[in-house]
């Protein structure tokens, strides 16, 4: 079976998305999520926002705007895991575990921290003036975002490559200290999409809020048209040939046009099309492509409870991966339950078996059961049975000591009896290693008690 590539992307919630954000990050990510071989995790990086912004209203508004932009742009939440970083409590806990193994020298080399120190030194300030621990340890939080879900690929701009490399360094250090031959963390790779557009702003520089040269994405058609009218062009009059290769207006058009549309406008500019008409062509192109999405965006913004529901569903999916993985990491570093700890491995196994439980319950007109590990975590959920006697007979067979017929499927597993699937794993694990650990825990839980 082909392993699906796990892709993880986050957007910091400090501003209103503009055309450059859409072309450079959101649109390519949505297209990538449609790949059947991709397992995509997209999140609102609202913990990161606290490092950059101390305006609660701005952060809250940005969280809504960015969520609405993803959804209006066509993100299918049934195909991906879409969540808010702050809805996953395992993220800050993992951040602390990683902080405890991250080398200070490594964090000293982080670009953002070094830039802030250099700026302070240039202006005669104390080197650490105004620098918070949030800014300093930002790379560890980003490492936790990536390593929690064992992402294989992390689409980033070139200025973020260092953070992915630091996540690798920190993950390798944790594996070395606590893995005992096991690789807890997958080593992520930065994914640089050379073909993804970096759009110029109104003045020709990179489109950025810091330059105040952005084109609004979903605010209104009028505001978009007004912004386009302010694009800086040369002084060539209508009738004079224009050079498309030196026109950032044409570069913007290229990012959204088909090849045929691009060649048509190129030819007309060479033949003297006026800049005013060229700007109108750009507006018509963008409005045609983004008009429906703009309507969906405003509908979503007017019904925040709908977005809240979708994000909570996404958080539940994300935590189904994060919670069991963090429990494994806590165990690895020694944060273990006193109750389940024993003096020797054999005694520990016996204790786990005695402490595990099988819970039967009724669901509608059917009967089911769960197998719980010694620490109470769910390991197995049965199929539905027509009566309680059938469910009880299956439980008895599973606890009889016979060899279990366990069949893996992706990062989960099923249990079979007499040619019939009778139960499935209670969680979809992050990788094969965690799945195998879950299978071993199930075998221990179902080990018959010794007299």
């Amino acid at each position: 079976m082909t392993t699906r590539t796990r892709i993880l992307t986050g957007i910091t919630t400090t501003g209103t998305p503009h055309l450059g954000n859409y072309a450079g990050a959101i649109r390519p990510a949505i297209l990538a999520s449609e790949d059947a071989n991709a397992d995509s995790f997209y999140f609102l990086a609202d913990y990161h926002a606290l490092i950059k912004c101390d305006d609660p209203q701005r952060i809250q508004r940005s969280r809504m705007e960015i969520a609405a932009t993803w959804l209006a742009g066509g993100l299918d939440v049934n195909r991906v895991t879409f969540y808010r970083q702050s809805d996953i409590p395992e993220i800050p806990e993992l951040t602390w575990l990683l902080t405890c193994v991250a080398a200070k020298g490594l964090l000293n080399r982080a670009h953002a921290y070094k830039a802030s120190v250099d700026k302070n030194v240039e202006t005669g300030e104390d080197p650490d003036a105004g620098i918070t621990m949030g800014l300093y340890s930002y790379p560890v939080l980003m490492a936790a975002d990536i390593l929690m879900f064992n992402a294989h690929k992390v689409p980033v701009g070139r200025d973020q490559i260092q953070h992915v490399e630091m996540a690798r360094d920190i993950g390798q250090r944790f594996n070395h200290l606590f893995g005992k031959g096991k690789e807890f963390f997958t080593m992520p790779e930065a994914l640089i999409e050379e073909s993804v557009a970096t759009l110029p702003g109104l003045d020709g520089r990179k489109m950025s809020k810091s330059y105040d040269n952005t084109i609004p994405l979903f605010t209104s058609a009028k505001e978009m048209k007004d912004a386009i009218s302010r694009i800086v062009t040369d002084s060539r009059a209508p009738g004079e040939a224009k050079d498309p290769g030196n026109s950032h207006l044409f570069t913007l058009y290229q990012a959204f046009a088909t090849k045929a549309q691009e060649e048509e406008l190129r030819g007309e500019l060479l033949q003297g099309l006026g800049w005013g008409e060229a700007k109108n062509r750009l507006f018509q192109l963008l409005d045609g492509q983004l008009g429906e999405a703009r309507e969906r965006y405003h509908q979503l913004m007017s019904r925040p409870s709908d977005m809240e529901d979708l994000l909570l569903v996404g958080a539940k999916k994300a935590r189904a991966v994060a919670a069991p993985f963090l429990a494994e990491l806590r165990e690895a570093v020694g944060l273990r339950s006193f109750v389940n700890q024993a003096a020797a491995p054999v005694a520990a196994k016996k204790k786990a078996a005695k402490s595990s439980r099988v819970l039967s319950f009724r669901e509608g007109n059917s009967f089911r059961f769960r197998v719980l590990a010694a620490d109470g975590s769910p390991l197995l959920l049965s199929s539905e049975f027509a009566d309680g006697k059938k469910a009880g007979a299956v439980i008895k067979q599973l606890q009889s000591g016979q060899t279990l017929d366990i069949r893996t499927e992706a990062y989960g597993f099923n249990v079979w009896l007499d040619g019939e699937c009778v139960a499935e794993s209670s969680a979809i694990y992050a990788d094969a290693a965690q799945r195998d650990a879950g299978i071993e825990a199930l075998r221990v839980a179902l080990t018959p008690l010794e007299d």
Side-chain angles (χ1 to χ4, degrees):
M1 182 177 292
T2 303
T3 301
R4 297 174 72 195
T5 300
R6 183 164 288 180
I7 300 172
L8 181 138
T9 299
I11 294 185
T12 306
T13 55
T14 54
T16 301
H18 54 69
L19 200 65
N21 300 139
Y22 178 74
I26 297 171
R27 182 176 63 174
I30 291 172
L31 290 173
S33 73
E34 296 169 1
D35 182 353
N37 292 319
D39 183 16
S40 299
F41 283 65
Y42 297 137
F43 67 98
L44 307 179
D46 46 2
Y47 278 144
H48 289 293
L50 300 178
I51 298 168
K52 303 177 180 180
C53 179
D54 58 6
D55 181 347
Q57 284 72 34
R58 180 181 171 190
I59 288 175
Q60 175 66 353
R61 178 72 181 180
S62 179
R63 293 162 92 225
M64 291 177 58
E65 290 174 336
I66 291 175
T69 299
W70 278 103
L71 296 169
L75 187 68
D76 184 350
V77 295
N78 295 313
R79 296 177 64 100
V80 307
T81 303
F82 182 52
Y83 59 98
R84 280 178 300 226
Q85 185 185 35
S86 59
D87 284 335
I88 316 299
E90 292 79 10
I91 293 288
E93 184 167 352
L94 177 57
T95 299
W96 181 249
L97 297 186
L98 298 180
T99 298
C100 292
V101 303
K104 180 175 181 291
L106 180 69
L107 299 184
N108 287 343
R109 296 191 291 273
H111 296 326
Y113 170 66
K114 286 178 65 179
S116 296
V117 169
D118 291 345
K119 185 177 179 180
N120 283 338
V121 171
E122 287 175 12
T123 57
E125 295 277 356
D126 180 89
D128 288 327
I131 296 176
T132 66
M133 283 304 299
L135 173 64
Y136 183 74
S137 58
Y138 170 94
V140 187
L141 176 56
M142 187 166 176
D145 291 325
I146 297 168
L147 297 174
M148 174 60 80
F149 299 107
N150 280 305
H152 301 103
K153 304 286 186 182
V154 185
V156 291
R158 291 197 172 276
D159 59 335
Q160 292 285 317
I161 293 176
Q162 186 197 43
H163 288 136
V164 180
E165 292 173 344
M166 293 173 86
R168 291 173 63 93
D169 289 341
I170 296 169
Q172 285 174 338
R173 177 67 174 162
F174 189 97
N175 285 344
H176 173 73
L177 289 173
F178 302 109
K180 293 181 173 55
K182 178 175 182 177
E183 299 292 310
F184 287 108
F185 297 122
T186 299
M187 294 299 101
E189 294 181 14
L191 183 61
I192 308 298
E193 294 284 359
E194 299 292 357
S195 60
V196 170
T198 298
L199 295 191
L202 304 180
D203 56 3
R205 294 181 292 176
K206 176 184 175 181
M207 191 176 295
S208 170
K209 291 183 290 289
S210 60
Y211 293 148
D212 193 26
N213 66 352
T214 63
I215 295 176
L217 181 60
F218 290 146
T219 49
S220 73
K222 181 180 183 304
E223 289 184 17
M224 176 182 282
K225 189 170 187 177
D226 289 345
I228 290 172
S229 71
R230 299 196 303 274
I231 293 176
V232 176
T233 56
D234 61 34
S235 58
R236 297 180 192 183
E240 292 185 73
K242 317 292 190 301
D243 180 5
N246 288 321
S247 166
H248 45 277
L249 187 153
F250 184 74
T251 302
L252 285 164
Y253 191 88
Q254 276 182 305
F256 293 88
T258 63
K259 197 66 180 175
Q261 289 172 324
E262 175 188 333
E263 292 306 315
E264 181 181 0
L265 183 61
R266 182 191 301 276
E268 290 188 80
L269 286 171
L270 290 170
Q271 293 171 18
L273 182 72
W275 288 123
E277 178 56 28
K279 291 177 180 180
N280 187 54
R281 298 280 183 89
L282 174 60
F283 169 72
Q284 294 297 336
L285 177 71
L286 294 175
D287 193 52
Q289 289 190 24
L290 301 174
E292 289 185 13
R294 184 191 299 124
E295 288 185 20
R296 290 195 297 270
Y297 173 86
H298 288 293
Q299 289 172 0
L300 288 162
M301 289 296 289
S302 68
R303 300 182 63 179
S305 60
D306 290 353
M307 289 192 286
E308 182 73 16
D309 290 344
L310 291 173
L311 286 164
L312 290 179
V313 169
K316 185 175 181 181
K317 288 170 65 176
R319 294 197 67 196
V321 176
F325 186 35
L326 185 66
E328 189 177 357
L329 298 176
R330 287 173 62 92
E331 179 82 10
V333 301
L335 304 180
R336 303 165 186 162
S337 167
F338 293 163
V339 175
N340 300 324
Q341 198 165 340
V346 173
K349 186 170 182 179
K350 280 186 178 181
K351 185 71 177 178
K354 292 179 181 178
S355 301
S356 61
R357 291 176 292 160
V358 178
L359 301 180
S360 301
F361 61 98
R362 185 165 185 166
E363 191 173 84
N365 295 322
S366 303
F367 294 82
R368 306 183 79 172
F369 63 84
R370 291 184 191 276
V371 178
L372 304 181
D375 63 359
S377 60
L379 297 172
L380 195 70
L381 175 64
S382 77
S383 303
E384 297 181 355
F385 299 100
D387 59 73
K389 289 184 179 180
K390 172 64 175 174
V394 170
I395 293 171
K396 189 173 181 180
Q397 276 187 273
L398 293 179
Q399 294 179 316
S400 67
Q402 70 182 60
T403 302
L404 296 175
D405 182 2
I406 299 178
R407 306 181 188 181
T408 60
E409 181 178 352
Y411 293 152
F413 58 85
N414 300 318
V415 176
W416 290 66
L417 283 176
D418 302 323
E420 179 185 0
C421 180
V422 296
E424 63 181 11
S425 53
S426 293
I428 301 299
Y429 296 91
D431 56 29
Q434 291 182 42
R435 177 200 64 205
D436 293 344
I439 292 173
E440 181 58 26
L442 178 66
R443 294 188 196 278
V444 172
L446 293 175
T447 299
L449 301 179
E450 298 179 9
D451 296 327

